[in-house]
Amino acid sequence: MIRLSGVHKTYRTGQTSLEVLKGVDLEIGDGEFVSIIGRSGSGKTTLLNIIGGLDSDYTGKVEVEGRKLSEMSDRDLSRYRNRHIGFVFQSFHLLGHMTCLENVILPSLFNGGDGGLSEKQAQDRGLELLAQMDLADKAHARPIHLSGGQKQRIAIARALLHKPELLICDEPTGNLDRDSGDAILKLFSQLNERDGITLIIVTHDDIIAEAAARVVRIVEGNVVEDRRSEPNKNVDTSTSQREESA
Ligand SMILES: Nc1ncnc2c1ncn2[C@@H]1O[C@H](COP(=O)(O)OP(=O)(O)OP(=O)(O)O)[C@@H](O)[C@H]1O
Ligand SMILES: [Mg+2]
């Protein structure tokens, strides 16, 4: 369970300050599939960064499994990020000089020697994830030789290395065509339904938003809508239009 209460965030640059989150209250239960929508600049990425423990400069309370993030030590916080959360971004963030397998097992190098995966375990798990992503044959290829959809599946495999309970995704299909986006969505649904992974996905993609059981809309730093519905699993993708990212 993730619980945000009265979260405010202000960016300060030089003389100017910009209040981006204006008292966000939000509870996300284990195993939920939540999409977060809203216009460009409304504060979605800012919110994800706070939930993911990447940004500690806010006021208000963020609790995960009953523990306040602001009271965690640096070590606990990095453990939370590395072990319990997988991050997926619009632009994949793969390292070009490494193979796909090396990219997938990269998080295992940041364990700080406290009981994470051994090199062999990481390799095995990496290969298993690549197979799950239908990319076993790309293990030793470099990301540059892959399509966008394949790159995103490598990034998702990397995010899953430590079997996170929570996947945080910022516009994961923003750089993909419809077919690749649909494949990613199918994968997300599977991770949520079969493996019980909690999904928080910021998206401009209507089809992703419609697939989520819950849609949270942010307008200028406030949650203005929080809607639960039966996920729409039979969207006719041939006629649906994607909302353009502003
Ligand atoms: N590091 C920063 N310093 C100063 N201002 C920032 C910083 N990051 C974001 N902002 C500002 O905060 C506001 C919210 O940004 P945020 O990235 O959270 O929006 P967003 O909803 O994710 O938008 P998009 O859909 O374009 O990704 C924007 O006005 C942005 O310019
Ligand atoms: Mg953003």
Side-chain angles (χ1 to χ4, degrees), residues 62-134:
V62 181
E63 289 167 295
V64 176
E65 307 304 335
R67 289 183 71 198
K68 271 199 201 175
L69 289 191
S70 60
E71 288 173 359
M72 284 189 193
S73 64
D74 285 349
R75 185 192 159 98
D76 282 354
L77 201 58
S78 59
R79 205 186 160 89
Y80 164 66
R81 282 193 303 258
N82 194 33
R83 296 285 177 80
H84 298 274
I85 309 181
F87 293 95
V88 176
F89 305 96
Q90 176 171 0
S91 51
F92 323 126
H93 293 192
L94 298 175
L95 298 182
H97 64 284
M98 290 184 169
T99 66
C100 290
L101 178 61
E102 286 166 344
N103 270 281
V104 171
I105 66 176
L106 197 60
S108 69
L109 305 181
F110 303 111
N111 282 327
D114 63 352
L117 298 174
S118 70
E119 201 179 319
K120 170 82 171 71
Q121 286 168 327
Q123 289 265 344
D124 291 349
R125 171 101 179 120
L127 289 169
E128 179 192 317
L129 284 164
L130 286 171
Q132 192 185 328
M133 300 296 145
D134 220 5

Side-chain angles (χ1 to χ4, degrees), residues 11 13 18 20 38-47 171 204 246:
Y11 288 111
T13 26
L18 181 66
V20 173
R39 300 179 76 142
S40 182
S42 55
K44 305 179 300 294
T45 296
T46 303
L47 183 66
E171 302 266 9
H204 285 105

Side-chain angles (χ1 to χ4, degrees), residues 194-235:
R194 190 194 55 197
D195 304 333
I197 295 179
T198 309
L199 290 179
I200 305 178
I201 302 185
V202 162
T203 189
H204 285 105
D205 182 339
D206 287 344
I207 292 175
I208 301 251
E210 281 164 27
R214 183 175 172 198
V215 179
V216 171
R217 182 188 298 276
I218 313 266
V219 174
E220 294 178 7
N222 293 297
V223 172
V224 299
E225 188 183 347
D226 189 344
R227 165 164 50 92
R228 286 166 206 269
S229 63
E230 279 302 301
N232 185 352
K233 295 212 174 70
N234 299 309
V235 185

Side-chain angles (χ1 to χ4, degrees), residues 137-228:
D137 57 328
K138 303 294 184 195
H140 304 292
R142 299 204 185 262
I144 190 156
H145 301 298
L146 271 58
S147 71
Q150 291 172 330
K151 283 182 193 159
Q152 194 58 301
R153 271 145 52 211
I154 298 290
I156 293 169
R158 179 183 56 192
L160 295 174
L161 186 72
H162 288 135
K163 303 191 171 163
E165 297 97 64
L166 169 63
L167 213 51
I168 289 183
C169 313
D170 199 348
E171 302 266 9
T173 60
N175 283 350
L176 304 182
D177 63 28
R178 187 66 269 156
D179 284 349
S180 309
D182 288 344
I184 298 292
L185 173 57
K186 214 166 136 193
L187 193 57
F188 283 145
S189 299
Q190 212 176 57
L191 292 169
N192 178 247
E193 284 164 23
R194 190 194 55 197
D195 304 333
I197 295 179
T198 309
L199 290 179
I200 305 178
I201 302 185
V202 162
T203 189
H204 285 105
D205 182 339
D206 287 344
I207 292 175
I208 301 251
E210 281 164 27
R214 183 175 172 198
V215 179
V216 171
R217 182 188 298 276
I218 313 266
V219 174
E220 294 178 7
N222 293 297
V223 172
V224 299
E225 188 183 347
D226 189 344
R227 165 164 50 92
R228 286 166 206 269

